[in-house]
Amino acid sequence: MIGLTEAVVRFGPRTILDRLSFVVPVGRTLAILGPNGRGKTTTLKAVLGFQRLDAGSRTAPDIVGYVPQTASSNQRYRAIDVVVMGRAAHLGLFGQPGPDDFDIAHAALERAGASRFAGHFFDRLSGGERQMVLLARALATGSAALVFDEPAAALDLHNQERLLTLLNGLRALRDKAIVFTTHDPNHALAAADDALLMMPDGQSLFGPVMETITPGHLERLYGVPMRIVDLPGPGGDPQRAVLPAFAGIRAA
Amino acid sequence: MATVTQELTTPVVRPHLARQTAAFAVLLVLLAVAVVASLCVGRFSVPAGRALELIWQGITDPARDLTEIDERIVLLVRAPRVLLAALAGAGLAVSGAALQGVFRNPLVSPDILGISQGAAFGGALAIMLGIWGFPLIAMVFLCGLAALILVGLLSRINGRTETVTVILSGLVISSMFSAVVSLLQFVADPNTSLPAIVYWLMGSFATATWDRTLVAAPGLVIGAFLLWMLRFRLNILSLDEAEARSLGANTSLERWLVFGLVAVIVGSQVAVSGIIGWIGIVIPHAARLIVGHDHRTLLPASVLLGAGFMVIIDTIARTATAAEIPLGVITALVGAPIFTLLLRHHYRERAGS
Amino acid sequence: MVPLSSFHLDMPRLAAVALIGLFLAPAASAEEIVFKDQENREVRLAKPAERVVSIVIPMASTVIALDGGTSKLVGMNPTAKSAVTEGILGKIFPEAKDIPSDVTAPNFVPNVEALTATNPDLVIQWGGRGTDIVAPLTNAGLNTMLILYGTEERTRDYMSMTSNAIGRPERIGELVEWRDRVQKDIEAKAATIPEDKKPNVLYLGRALSDISASGTKGNYTPWYIDLAGGKNAAAELNGTLSINKEQIAQWNPDVIFLNAFEAELNVDWVYDDPILSLTNAARNKRIYKMPLGGYRWDPPSQESPLSWMWTANLLHPDVFSYDLRTEMKAAYKTLYGYELTDADIDGILWLNEQGASAGYAQFKAK
């Protein structure tokens, strides 16, 4: 559905992506992990088609539902008008959104859990609320592929939980190919099927979460000793979490 | 879930729609009043009742022979002038609104792309060469377009065009053309072409006739109409580059389409009435205050407000004194304070949010 | 009848010259000429100027007239040159077409290098227009004389100054006398015209790009319209300003004078216009384009009295009946030493273009 094959991106003498390959079929979710500056954003841009590849190829539908970290426009639009922009590709250059498009936009807002903001000004919403609206816009495109740029980066713990629930909700329907980038391997465990680990040495590792999110791989990834802990979840079923070895304080 | 949505969104959206409708009704009435009032006043006194009667006759029986001086004043002098002012004001305002959206910068106006100065150069050159009428208009239009193309070439670096380089290139090309215009003024004949160039550069509708209005009208109407057709697309183009592209916009191509339409509008306007500042920047801001930022409402509101404002300004220009007051003088005198207020309002609100 | 040729050099005339502001200072050398120009600057010439550049447009032809030939004029304004080539002066003095006009931009900004190359001993420039057009001349060490536009008094004054500066003081008396005599004659006759018989006269200094008219104060053409028994229709204007046709309709002038500067402009411009063609002036065929003689007749020049007589005859044919053709022949003989032919006169007065205008038949050759 969406992915890169043997993708190479160079900035001057630096090779950012070196024959990177991964694919996300419809119904699966990919988490891209890596230290800062390693090329997570470049990878996203390459997937979205905004970054020219020096070699290799990109697989993606015409329109990819893209959820940026923050929306930047000095214009003040209502949330519903922002969401309906997702219909642009269907409307063409001179097209105007009609009642059907607004129905789709309202449905998308509802699916993103943001219906109550429909008539609010986008620039007056909080960071988490804006993200929900932007997600609704991505859903309104009707694309089977969704790409999130660092969706959790600016969120507090409560909003992180809400976001992960939302991502899991989308994943559960198994009708989208979803890609997101994150710093936190726990997000991958919580909401992804597959993970792409972009190692500092230029290598990358792509595979199911249970095989890729391991203490060894993560130590290579972040250069910090890591531990995996199994905890009882809220429903009693066991959950897996990742902690850096420095986490916690030594009990006296 | 669906019922919840209904409950929550309807109360917000409905007063919003009602407000918009009311705003448009007021703008439309204002424009109509401005146009009718403008047709009724002038240096030559025609009683308002007689003027209205003449307008009605002009509309119902346009082919009628006009023999009386008051008929000719109202229908051959005022009517084309008021119409031209309305079209020019609408065109400049809608151009400004579109450019401010595309550049995501509220301080951008049609002059920024060098179009006005390029067009001014074409006009000054034509006047100096003793070219009048249609060839002058063609020359103005082509030079405006040439300036835009130069800006396009200059701002394209490594196959990419950044917004900031477009603005800077526009600045460079603008000052280049205005320098050449100064040079033309320097060598122009002070008895004939120099005053003509100076007067024309100051902007005026004094020379409006049906011929000139009909020459400028297609560019102004078609340009404004196509921009209006692009109103939803302008919402998309007002987003960040990556967002706009992800929503399916071919951003650089579509931006140049907008610039091209603006060139058509500004070129047509400059060709018949010289450079008129401030409208393209003040009116969109005022319109945003009234109907909001969404280009689907902003563009028609700018058209109505720009047309009405220009008609009022021009009416002052032609009636206040026996001499024609240059439009640029009035638009700056009225526009600058309004713009200051809008700017302060804008940033105070920003600081508050 | 006040034919120019009938005047003779006499003492009262010389006194008049002294009175209107020519200062002949007692000189160290016999030939030295010292005088104050109209900006009150002292101009000092070791000997009468032999090489004169006029940046001021009408003064080029005036220098030729004062000298009676072209030998002393070595540079002029491009706009003066166009009057030479379009008008009669180029025919009288074909060599005038070769006098350089690159010494200044039309807007009076001098080209100092080209100017210096003509090696002038006197440069005539406008005063009252700021120092930007003067400083380049004085900085280059050029002897500069500044003159002021506006009134007949100033015109006589600067023409006298120039006459003296080029060593032809004997020429000016005759010309000033002529101006004075014609002016007084017109004044005397116009005094009998009752106020309500004075036509509203509109002079359009520009017409083709935008339309401009002038208020009465400080403008020369309205002054002689008033002299000849007319009322300036645009009297309410303060200076020369753009106006619109609606305003002209409101003024509804009885006579419209079109400028001689715009070569493309003729009376049809009024007759073809839907508004202007309904004015009293157009209905009564009283539209006239200013003649172009040795210079354009609208601004002050050596030919101004002809311009006043032409105006007077047109405004009040019942009061004034100058024999303009005879006056012109006499004046051109004195000014340029040239015998005007009937065809020359027809051309200067635009008889082919506006012979059908009201009252114009009087100017036809008999």
Side-chain angles (χ1 to χ4, degrees), chain A residues 57-68:
Chain A
S57 64
R58 155 184 182 253
T59 312
D62 285 343
I63 294 295
V64 177
Y66 169 54
V67 185

Side-chain angles (χ1 to χ4, degrees), chain B residues 42-45 67 69 72-73 76-78 132 186-192 195-196 199 207 318 322-324, chain C residues 57 79 105-109 206 209-210 236-237 241-244 246-247 249-251 261-262 274-275 277-278 295:
Chain B
R43 297 301 296 177
F44 188 88
S45 63
T67 50
I69 184 100
R72 293 186 178 179
I73 293 274
L76 297 182
V77 174
R78 290 184 196 166
W132 294 100
F186 176 76
V187 295
D189 186 324
N191 284 310
T192 53
Y199 189 73
T207 52
R318 71 184 167 83
E324 285 272 340
Chain C
I57 298 164
T79 309
N107 64 354
F108 316 114
V109 177
R206 285 195 308 277
S209 53
D210 63 311
E236 66 186 286
L237 294 182
L241 294 166
S242 277
I243 53 166
N244 56 43
E246 196 171 333
Q247 181 62 59
Q250 181 66 29
W251 284 332
F261 287 95
E262 293 172 298
I275 303 300
S277 60
L278 293 183
Y295 188 63

Side-chain angles (χ1 to χ4, degrees), chain A residues 106-122:
Chain A
H106 277 294
L109 268 175
E110 202 179 310
R111 199 164 161 196
S115 282
R116 62 188 179 282
F117 309 129
H120 294 201
F121 283 119
F122 181 78

Side-chain angles (χ1 to χ4, degrees), chain C residues 189-330:
Chain C
K189 287 172 176 156
T192 65
I193 303 168
E195 204 56 25
D196 61 339
K197 295 276 188 225
K198 290 186 174 177
N200 264 316
V201 183
L202 183 62
Y203 164 69
L204 298 178
R206 285 195 308 277
L208 294 179
S209 53
D210 63 311
I211 306 170
S212 84
S214 300
T216 304
K217 190 169 171 285
N219 282 297
Y220 193 76
T221 313
W223 170 77
Y224 66 77
I225 287 172
D226 181 68
L227 175 73
K231 284 187 286 201
N232 180 12
E236 66 186 286
L237 294 182
N238 186 15
T240 297
L241 294 166
S242 277
I243 53 166
N244 56 43
K245 290 172 184 170
E246 196 171 333
Q247 181 62 59
I248 297 178
Q250 181 66 29
W251 284 332
N252 195 12
D254 303 307
V255 177
I256 296 178
F257 287 138
L258 302 176
N259 70 72
F261 287 95
E262 293 172 298
E264 312 274 297
L265 181 65
N266 61 48
V267 293
D268 289 337
W269 177 78
V270 174
Y271 294 125
D272 292 345
D273 185 90
I275 303 300
L276 302 184
S277 60
L278 293 183
T279 55
N280 282 342
R283 287 175 190 273
N284 298 320
K285 300 273 180 228
R286 297 183 81 183
I287 315 289
Y288 312 100
K289 181 180 168 87
M290 288 285 185
L292 166 54
Y295 188 63
R296 301 174 177 102
W297 280 12
D298 1 14
S301 78
Q302 65 279 5
E303 295 184 22
S304 296
L306 296 174
S307 178
W308 309 337
M309 289 189 267
W310 177 83
T311 307
N313 275 12
L314 288 173
L315 295 188
H316 294 286
D318 46 335
V319 178
F320 301 102
S321 52
Y322 295 110
D323 182 353
L324 194 66
R325 295 183 81 96
T326 307
E327 299 283 355
M328 285 171 72
K329 282 182 182 170

Side-chain angles (χ1 to χ4, degrees), chain C residues 158-191:
Chain C
Y158 67 63
M159 283 174 63
S160 303
M161 255 180 224
T162 310
S163 179
N164 187 52
I166 64 172
R168 303 298 299 265
E170 77 283 1
R171 290 278 292 172
I172 188 61
E174 197 174 4
L175 300 181
V176 168
E177 187 81 3
W178 179 45
R179 298 180 88 97
D180 201 45
R181 188 60 62 99
V182 174
Q183 184 185 339
K184 291 215 166 82
D185 192 63
I186 295 178
E187 261 168 7
K189 287 172 176 156

Side-chain angles (χ1 to χ4, degrees), chain B residues 14-353:
Chain B
R14 195 158 286 160
H16 168 68
L17 268 176
R19 205 182 106 89
Q20 299 281 33
T21 314
F24 274 102
V26 169
L27 288 177
L28 206 61
V29 168
L30 274 180
L31 174 60
V33 169
V35 166
V36 172
S38 181
L39 286 168
C40 291
V41 299
R43 297 301 296 177
F44 188 88
S45 63
V46 180
R50 169 76 175 150
L52 291 174
E53 183 192 330
L54 288 171
I55 296 163
W56 181 247
Q57 285 175 3
I59 294 168
T60 51
D61 184 11
R64 201 164 52 95
D65 259 354
L66 303 173
T67 50
E68 295 303 313
I69 184 100
D70 58 355
E71 293 179 326
R72 293 186 178 179
I73 293 274
V74 172
L75 296 175
L76 297 182
V77 174
R78 290 184 196 166
R81 182 166 180 168
V82 169
L83 182 64
L84 183 61
L87 289 176
L92 288 174
V94 82
S95 298
L99 286 180
Q100 286 163 19
V102 167
F103 278 111
R104 278 174 277 135
N105 184 329
L107 296 175
V108 167
S109 69
D111 337 358
I112 206 82
L113 291 171
I115 301 169
S116 301
Q117 288 303 333
F121 163 74
L125 188 66
I127 292 174
M128 247 193 70
L129 298 176
I131 297 172
W132 294 100
F134 285 88
L136 177 138
I137 288 163
M139 217 154 138
V140 168
F141 182 71
L142 288 178
C143 288
L145 213 60
L148 179 68
I149 291 168
L150 277 176
V151 170
L153 293 176
L154 204 64
S155 60
R156 204 169 166 80
I157 295 164
N158 292 335
R160 288 197 44 149
T161 304
E162 303 273 349
T163 305
V164 62
T165 57
V166 174
I167 292 180
L168 291 176
S169 308
L171 223 63
V172 169
I173 296 296
S174 269
S175 47
M176 199 185 82
F177 272 109
S178 65
V180 185
V181 169
S182 303
L183 187 72
L184 289 181
Q185 285 180 269
F186 176 76
V187 295
D189 186 324
N191 284 310
T192 53
S193 45
L194 179 65
I197 293 175
V198 169
Y199 189 73
W200 183 76
L201 286 176
M202 280 195 290
S204 171
F205 295 108
T207 52
T209 58
W210 279 114
D211 283 350
R212 288 170 82 93
T213 302
L214 293 178
V215 162
L220 290 167
V221 171
I222 295 171
F225 177 74
L226 289 177
L227 281 180
W228 176 75
M229 290 287 287
L230 284 167
R231 60 201 185 279
F232 181 62
R233 205 58 162 192
L234 284 167
N235 280 354
I236 309 290
L237 292 175
S238 75
L239 303 174
D240 162 87
E241 177 86 20
E243 282 182 86
R245 286 175 66 176
S246 80
L247 294 172
N250 184 343
T251 49
S252 49
L253 195 74
E254 289 170 24
R255 279 191 182 127
W256 284 106
L257 173 64
V258 172
F259 299 163
L261 292 174
V262 169
V264 170
I265 292 171
V266 175
S268 306
Q269 177 271 314
V270 170
V272 294
S273 48
I275 293 186
I276 299 172
W278 289 99
I279 303 292
I281 193 157
V282 172
I283 297 300
H285 280 268
R288 254 181 227 109
L289 220 54
I290 300 169
V291 300
H293 292 216
D294 192 319
H295 291 87
R296 286 173 299 158
T297 49
L298 176 63
L299 262 49
S302 297
V303 163
L304 295 177
L305 200 58
F309 188 70
M310 195 77 255
V311 167
I312 292 168
I313 294 275
D314 183 52
T315 307
I316 296 171
R318 71 184 167 83
T319 58
T321 69
E324 285 272 340
I325 304 173
L327 280 180
V329 173
I330 311 180
T331 53
L333 278 178
V334 177
I338 293 181
F339 187 64
T340 312
L341 288 176
L342 291 173
L343 210 63
R344 288 182 64 82
H345 175 90
H346 175 79
Y347 281 102
R348 195 176 298 141
E349 198 172 64
R350 259 208 174 170
S353 73

